[in-house]
Amino acid sequence: MMDETELFRNPSMKRILIIEDDKDIVELVRYNLEKEGFQVTAAGDGATGLAQAKHSPPDLLVLDLMLPRLPGLEICKELRRNPKIPRLPILMLTARGDEADRVVGLEMGADDYVLKPFSPRELVARVKALLRRAD
């Protein structure tokens, strides 16, 4: 994990927030994103994650759908209504893979949708693509 002095030296480092309740998935995603030079923070439930995203908006959000305390779709809707962060890229990372779930996720404001189990390399590539489009 990066310390504050390292972050201070590299202000262009992109910040990613993961809202996911499975600690193993958080660590897998964190490891692969940090290896690519991203600053990663995580929240283990929906309410905490939404509060973090509003307080200190990240450059990109990786969001699970099935979360304790507040579901991912509600977080997505709430963030899309927030005028301070209307263009926040949101990548949904979820086990809910039915076509209807994917369509609803994208209609609620997700920019991309990745199914579990997933390839960490593909996830990193999708994160980079979303950030390129956001810039």
Side-chain angles (χ1 to χ4, degrees), residues 4-7 19-20 22-23 38 40 46 50 66 73 79 88 100 102 111-112 120 128-129 133:
E4 288 179 357
T5 56
E6 194 168 344
L7 292 176
I19 306 177
E20 166 68 61
D22 183 322
K23 291 180 177 145
F38 296 106
V40 180
L50 178 59
M66 297 177 285
L73 284 178
L79 291 173
L88 171 66
R102 293 191 310 268
D111 297 290
D112 202 352
K128 288 178 177 180
R133 286 193 294 267

CSV table of all heavy atoms in Angstrom, one decimal, residues 4-7 19-20 22-23 38 40 46 50 66 73 79 88 100 102 111-112 120 128-129 133:
chain,number,residue,atom,x,y,z
A,4,GLU,N,1.5,8.2,2.5
A,4,GLU,CA,1.1,9.6,2.1
A,4,GLU,C,2.2,10.3,1.4
A,4,GLU,O,2.0,11.1,0.5
A,4,GLU,CB,0.6,10.4,3.3
A,4,GLU,CG,-0.7,9.9,3.8
A,4,GLU,CD,-1.2,10.7,5.1
A,4,GLU,OE1,-0.4,11.5,5.6
A,4,GLU,OE2,-2.3,10.4,5.5
A,5,THR,N,3.5,10.1,1.8
A,5,THR,CA,4.6,10.8,1.1
A,5,THR,C,4.7,10.4,-0.3
A,5,THR,O,4.9,11.2,-1.2
A,5,THR,CB,5.9,10.6,1.9
A,5,THR,OG1,6.1,9.2,1.9
A,5,THR,CG2,5.9,11.2,3.2
A,6,GLU,N,4.5,9.2,-0.6
A,6,GLU,CA,4.5,8.7,-2.0
A,6,GLU,C,3.4,9.3,-2.8
A,6,GLU,O,3.5,9.7,-3.9
A,6,GLU,CB,4.5,7.2,-2.0
A,6,GLU,CG,4.8,6.6,-3.4
A,6,GLU,CD,5.1,5.1,-3.3
A,6,GLU,OE1,5.2,4.5,-2.2
A,6,GLU,OE2,5.1,4.5,-4.4
A,7,LEU,N,2.2,9.4,-2.2
A,7,LEU,CA,1.1,10.0,-2.9
A,7,LEU,C,1.3,11.5,-3.2
A,7,LEU,O,1.0,12.0,-4.2
A,7,LEU,CB,-0.2,9.9,-2.0
A,7,LEU,CG,-0.7,8.4,-1.9
A,7,LEU,CD1,-1.9,8.5,-0.9
A,7,LEU,CD2,-1.1,7.9,-3.2
A,19,ILE,N,-16.1,-0.9,-3.6
A,19,ILE,CA,-17.2,-1.1,-2.6
A,19,ILE,C,-17.6,-2.6,-2.9
A,19,ILE,O,-18.2,-2.9,-3.8
A,19,ILE,CB,-18.4,-0.2,-2.8
A,19,ILE,CG1,-17.9,1.3,-2.7
A,19,ILE,CG2,-19.4,-0.5,-1.7
A,19,ILE,CD1,-19.1,2.3,-2.9
A,20,GLU,N,-17.1,-3.5,-2.0
A,20,GLU,CA,-17.2,-4.9,-2.1
A,20,GLU,C,-17.1,-5.5,-0.7
A,20,GLU,O,-16.3,-5.1,0.1
A,20,GLU,CB,-16.1,-5.4,-3.0
A,20,GLU,CG,-15.8,-6.9,-3.0
A,20,GLU,CD,-17.0,-7.7,-3.6
A,20,GLU,OE1,-17.3,-7.5,-4.8
A,20,GLU,OE2,-17.5,-8.5,-2.9
A,22,ASP,N,-16.7,-8.9,-0.1
A,22,ASP,CA,-15.9,-10.1,-0.1
A,22,ASP,C,-14.4,-9.7,0.0
A,22,ASP,O,-13.8,-9.1,-0.9
A,22,ASP,CB,-16.1,-10.9,-1.3
A,22,ASP,CG,-15.3,-12.2,-1.4
A,22,ASP,OD1,-14.2,-12.3,-0.9
A,22,ASP,OD2,-15.9,-13.2,-1.9
A,23,LYS,N,-13.8,-9.9,1.2
A,23,LYS,CA,-12.4,-9.4,1.4
A,23,LYS,C,-11.4,-10.0,0.5
A,23,LYS,O,-10.4,-9.4,0.1
A,23,LYS,CB,-12.0,-9.7,2.9
A,23,LYS,CG,-12.8,-8.9,3.9
A,23,LYS,CD,-12.4,-9.2,5.3
A,23,LYS,CE,-13.2,-8.3,6.2
A,23,LYS,NZ,-13.6,-8.8,7.4
A,38,PHE,N,-2.2,2.5,-9.3
A,38,PHE,CA,-3.4,3.2,-8.8
A,38,PHE,C,-3.4,3.2,-7.3
A,38,PHE,O,-2.8,2.3,-6.6
A,38,PHE,CB,-4.7,2.5,-9.3
A,38,PHE,CG,-4.8,2.5,-10.7
A,38,PHE,CD1,-4.6,1.3,-11.5
A,38,PHE,CD2,-5.2,3.7,-11.4
A,38,PHE,CE1,-4.8,1.3,-12.9
A,38,PHE,CE2,-5.4,3.7,-12.8
A,38,PHE,CZ,-5.2,2.5,-13.5
A,40,VAL,N,-5.7,2.8,-4.2
A,40,VAL,CA,-6.9,2.0,-4.0
A,40,VAL,C,-7.4,2.1,-2.5
A,40,VAL,O,-6.6,1.9,-1.6
A,40,VAL,CB,-6.7,0.5,-4.4
A,40,VAL,CG1,-8.0,-0.3,-4.1
A,40,VAL,CG2,-6.2,0.4,-5.8
A,46,GLY,N,-22.3,-1.1,1.6
A,46,GLY,CA,-22.8,0.0,0.7
A,46,GLY,C,-22.9,1.4,1.4
A,46,GLY,O,-22.5,2.3,0.7
A,50,LEU,N,-20.8,4.5,0.0
A,50,LEU,CA,-21.4,5.7,-0.6
A,50,LEU,C,-20.9,7.0,0.2
A,50,LEU,O,-20.6,8.0,-0.5
A,50,LEU,CB,-22.9,5.6,-0.4
A,50,LEU,CG,-23.8,6.8,-0.9
A,50,LEU,CD1,-23.5,7.1,-2.4
A,50,LEU,CD2,-25.2,6.5,-0.7
A,66,MET,N,-24.5,-6.8,-4.8
A,66,MET,CA,-25.1,-7.4,-3.6
A,66,MET,C,-24.2,-7.0,-2.4
A,66,MET,O,-23.2,-7.7,-2.1
A,66,MET,CB,-25.3,-8.9,-3.8
A,66,MET,CG,-26.2,-9.2,-4.9
A,66,MET,SD,-26.4,-10.9,-5.2
A,66,MET,CE,-24.9,-11.3,-6.1
A,73,LEU,N,-27.0,-1.0,-6.7
A,73,LEU,CA,-27.8,-0.2,-7.6
A,73,LEU,C,-28.3,1.1,-7.0
A,73,LEU,O,-28.3,2.1,-7.7
A,73,LEU,CB,-29.1,-1.0,-8.1
A,73,LEU,CG,-28.8,-2.1,-9.2
A,73,LEU,CD1,-30.1,-2.8,-9.5
A,73,LEU,CD2,-28.2,-1.5,-10.4
A,79,LEU,N,-25.3,8.2,-6.7
A,79,LEU,CA,-24.1,8.9,-7.2
A,79,LEU,C,-24.4,9.6,-8.6
A,79,LEU,O,-23.9,10.7,-8.8
A,79,LEU,CB,-22.9,8.0,-7.4
A,79,LEU,CG,-22.3,7.4,-6.1
A,79,LEU,CD1,-21.3,6.4,-6.4
A,79,LEU,CD2,-21.7,8.6,-5.3
A,88,LEU,N,-18.4,10.4,-12.7
A,88,LEU,CA,-17.6,9.4,-12.1
A,88,LEU,C,-17.8,8.0,-12.8
A,88,LEU,O,-18.9,7.5,-12.9
A,88,LEU,CB,-18.1,9.2,-10.6
A,88,LEU,CG,-17.5,8.0,-9.9
A,88,LEU,CD1,-16.0,8.1,-9.7
A,88,LEU,CD2,-18.2,7.8,-8.5
A,100,ALA,N,-30.9,-9.4,-17.8
A,100,ALA,CA,-31.7,-8.4,-17.2
A,100,ALA,C,-30.9,-7.6,-16.1
A,100,ALA,O,-31.0,-6.4,-16.0
A,100,ALA,CB,-33.0,-9.0,-16.5
A,102,ARG,N,-27.6,-7.2,-16.1
A,102,ARG,CA,-26.6,-6.4,-16.8
A,102,ARG,C,-27.3,-5.1,-17.4
A,102,ARG,O,-26.8,-4.0,-17.2
A,102,ARG,CB,-25.9,-7.2,-17.9
A,102,ARG,CG,-25.1,-8.3,-17.3
A,102,ARG,CD,-24.2,-8.9,-18.4
A,102,ARG,NE,-24.9,-9.3,-19.6
A,102,ARG,CZ,-25.4,-10.5,-19.8
A,102,ARG,NH1,-25.3,-11.5,-18.9
A,102,ARG,NH2,-26.0,-10.8,-21.0
A,111,ASP,N,-20.9,2.3,-16.1
A,111,ASP,CA,-20.2,2.4,-17.4
A,111,ASP,C,-19.7,1.1,-18.0
A,111,ASP,O,-19.5,1.0,-19.2
A,111,ASP,CB,-19.1,3.4,-17.2
A,111,ASP,CG,-19.5,4.8,-16.8
A,111,ASP,OD1,-20.2,5.5,-17.6
A,111,ASP,OD2,-19.3,5.1,-15.6
A,112,ASP,N,-19.5,0.1,-17.1
A,112,ASP,CA,-19.1,-1.2,-17.5
A,112,ASP,C,-19.6,-2.2,-16.5
A,112,ASP,O,-20.0,-1.8,-15.4
A,112,ASP,CB,-17.6,-1.2,-17.6
A,112,ASP,CG,-17.1,-2.3,-18.6
A,112,ASP,OD1,-17.9,-3.2,-19.0
A,112,ASP,OD2,-15.8,-2.4,-18.8
A,120,PRO,N,-8.4,-10.8,-13.5
A,120,PRO,CA,-7.8,-9.6,-13.0
A,120,PRO,C,-7.2,-8.7,-14.1
A,120,PRO,O,-7.3,-7.5,-14.1
A,120,PRO,CB,-6.7,-10.1,-12.0
A,120,PRO,CG,-7.2,-11.4,-11.5
A,120,PRO,CD,-7.9,-12.0,-12.8
A,128,LYS,N,-8.5,0.9,-16.9
A,128,LYS,CA,-7.7,1.8,-17.7
A,128,LYS,C,-8.5,2.4,-18.9
A,128,LYS,O,-8.4,3.6,-19.1
A,128,LYS,CB,-6.5,1.1,-18.3
A,128,LYS,CG,-5.4,0.8,-17.2
A,128,LYS,CD,-4.2,0.1,-17.8
A,128,LYS,CE,-3.2,-0.1,-16.8
A,128,LYS,NZ,-2.0,-0.9,-17.4
A,129,ALA,N,-9.3,1.6,-19.5
A,129,ALA,CA,-10.1,2.1,-20.7
A,129,ALA,C,-11.2,3.2,-20.2
A,129,ALA,O,-11.4,4.2,-20.8
A,129,ALA,CB,-10.8,1.0,-21.4
A,133,ARG,N,-11.3,7.2,-21.2
A,133,ARG,CA,-12.5,7.9,-21.7
A,133,ARG,C,-12.9,9.1,-20.8
A,133,ARG,O,-13.4,10.1,-21.3
A,133,ARG,CB,-13.7,6.9,-21.8
A,133,ARG,CG,-13.5,6.0,-23.0
A,133,ARG,CD,-14.7,5.2,-23.4
A,133,ARG,NE,-15.2,4.3,-22.4
A,133,ARG,CZ,-14.9,3.0,-22.4
A,133,ARG,NH1,-14.1,2.5,-23.3
A,133,ARG,NH2,-15.3,2.2,-21.5
